């Protein structure tokens, strides 16, 4: 158990819909990273928050947005869903602002299926 | 900008060695290595920093060549438990992104 909690674990929805994925980082961790992993593919960096502020964005679609709240939990919002958005979405947390301060702890992921 | 990993896949017999490479076209700030087993989340193996020493995790070690901007992961005397997909993650100075390579799938057979 990494200490990172993601909900829901599985989600099935239809094209055009909107979903929210939630992540609670490990106690004390200030950084939250979001990654997308399509079937048997690599980990695509989406966005990084540190202590409530956005630090970096990857190739995140305009239909996707995220935020980190004062209690440090984070939400990833996906709207106008398309079939190609089906993937496993991982959240990871770490203590520092930059990755050289230590490891990323990954949650178990939220598997999104768009039909 | 994602690092480039090679090879894409490797098949080993128990006890054999393998090397996985991770290359960047830009100066690196840090390199992370993770292993992901099928259906599970990635798990941290080690981190290498500029000017840092070679790291080890059990019989897995890694090095960081700053001149070449390349890191190598060494699987020594491989065990069945080493099977999985290995990802390197890289961050550049003032980047705040940890971007991962496409991964190297390692299969260790008895």
């Amino acid at each position: 158990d990494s200490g990172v909690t993601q909900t829901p674990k599985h989600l099935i929805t239809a094209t055009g819909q909107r979903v929210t994925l939630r992540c609670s980082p490990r106690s004390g961790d200030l950084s939250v990273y979001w990654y997308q992993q399509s079937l048997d593919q690599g980990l695509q960096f989406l966005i990084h928050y540190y202590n409530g502020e956005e630090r970096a964005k990857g190739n995140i679609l305009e239909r996707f947005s995220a935020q980190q709240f004062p209690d440090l939990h984070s939400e990833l919002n996906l709207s106008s869903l398309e079939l190609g958005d089906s993937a496993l979405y991982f959240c990871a947390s770490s203590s520092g602002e930059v990755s050289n301060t230590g490891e990323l702890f990954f949650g178990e992921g939220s598997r999104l299926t768009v039909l | 900008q994602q690092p480039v990993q090679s090879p894409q896949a490797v098949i080993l017999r128990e006890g054999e060695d393998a090397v996985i490479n991770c290359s960047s076209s830009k100066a690196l700030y840090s390199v992370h290595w993770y292993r992901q087993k099928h259906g599970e989340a990635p798990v941290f193996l080690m981190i290498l920093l500029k000017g840092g020493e070679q790291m080890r995790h059990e019989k897995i070690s890694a090095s960081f060549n700053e001149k070449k901007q390349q890191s190598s992961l060494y699987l020594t005397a491989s065990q069945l438990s080493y099977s999985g997909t290995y990802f390197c993650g890289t961050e550049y100075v003032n980047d705040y992104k940890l971007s991962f390579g496409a991964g190297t799938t390692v299969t260790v057979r008895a």
Side-chain angles (χ1 to χ4, degrees):
Chain A
D1 181 7
S2 67
V4 178
T5 304
Q6 287 188 248
T7 56
K9 286 191 170 29
H10 300 275
L11 190 54
I12 301 174
T13 188
T15 53
Q17 295 298 305
R18 173 189 168 94
V19 298
T20 297
L21 309 181
R22 182 188 167 102
C23 170
S24 294
R26 281 189 338 146
S27 177
D29 282 356
L30 299 178
S31 266
V32 169
Y33 295 77
W34 284 98
Y35 291 91
Q36 179 192 55
Q37 187 173 42
S38 300
L39 191 63
D40 293 329
Q41 296 296 309
L43 295 156
Q44 297 299 317
F45 170 77
L46 294 179
I47 199 161
H48 170 206
Y49 279 89
Y50 176 76
N51 203 20
E53 295 199 7
E54 181 185 304
R55 297 308 285 147
K57 250 183 179 176
N59 294 326
I60 186 168
L61 298 171
E62 283 191 17
R63 301 183 285 107
F64 294 4
S65 65
Q67 56 184 135
Q68 185 179 30
F69 295 87
D71 67 353
L72 301 177
H73 91 271
S74 178
E75 292 181 357
L76 179 67
N77 300 296
L78 316 175
S79 61
S80 302
L81 286 168
E82 301 175 0
L83 296 178
D85 298 328
S86 295
L88 190 51
Y89 291 84
F90 283 109
C91 161
S93 75
S94 70
S95 57
E97 185 176 15
V98 291
S99 66
N100 70 342
T101 54
E103 67 183 276
L104 266 60
F105 293 87
F106 282 81
E108 293 184 0
S110 291
R111 182 169 295 284
L112 173 66
T113 302
V114 182
L115 301 176
Chain B
Q1 193 167 5
Q2 291 177 282
V4 177
Q5 274 186 249
S6 63
Q8 281 188 315
V10 60
I11 299 175
L12 300 165
R13 291 223 176 265
E14 263 187 301
E16 290 182 339
D17 302 340
V19 180
I20 300 170
N21 294 308
C22 175
S23 298
S24 168
S25 57
K26 288 168 56 174
L28 292 171
Y29 190 46
S30 70
V31 178
H32 288 222
W33 286 96
Y34 291 78
R35 179 172 62 206
Q36 183 179 30
K37 293 189 181 276
H38 189 69
E40 299 180 7
V43 173
F44 175 80
L45 293 175
M46 62 194 81
I47 182 173
L48 297 106
L49 310 176
K50 278 184 66 169
E53 55 189 47
Q54 186 174 29
M55 302 298 291
R56 294 191 68 85
H57 172 83
E58 299 173 349
K59 287 188 179 171
I60 299 173
S61 61
S63 63
F64 181 16
N65 185 323
E66 290 181 46
K67 250 187 168 180
K68 293 185 178 179
Q69 296 305 320
Q70 178 176 308
S71 178
S72 296
L73 188 75
Y74 306 93
L75 307 182
T76 305
S78 58
Q79 306 169 13
L80 295 175
S81 62
Y82 287 2
S83 292
T85 300
Y86 289 77
F87 292 100
C88 72
T90 56
E91 180 173 339
Y92 308 115
V93 176
N94 296 325
D95 196 35
Y96 303 107
K97 301 177 190 178
L98 187 66
S99 298
F100 287 92
T104 297
T105 301
V106 173
T107 304
V108 181
R109 295 185 174 157

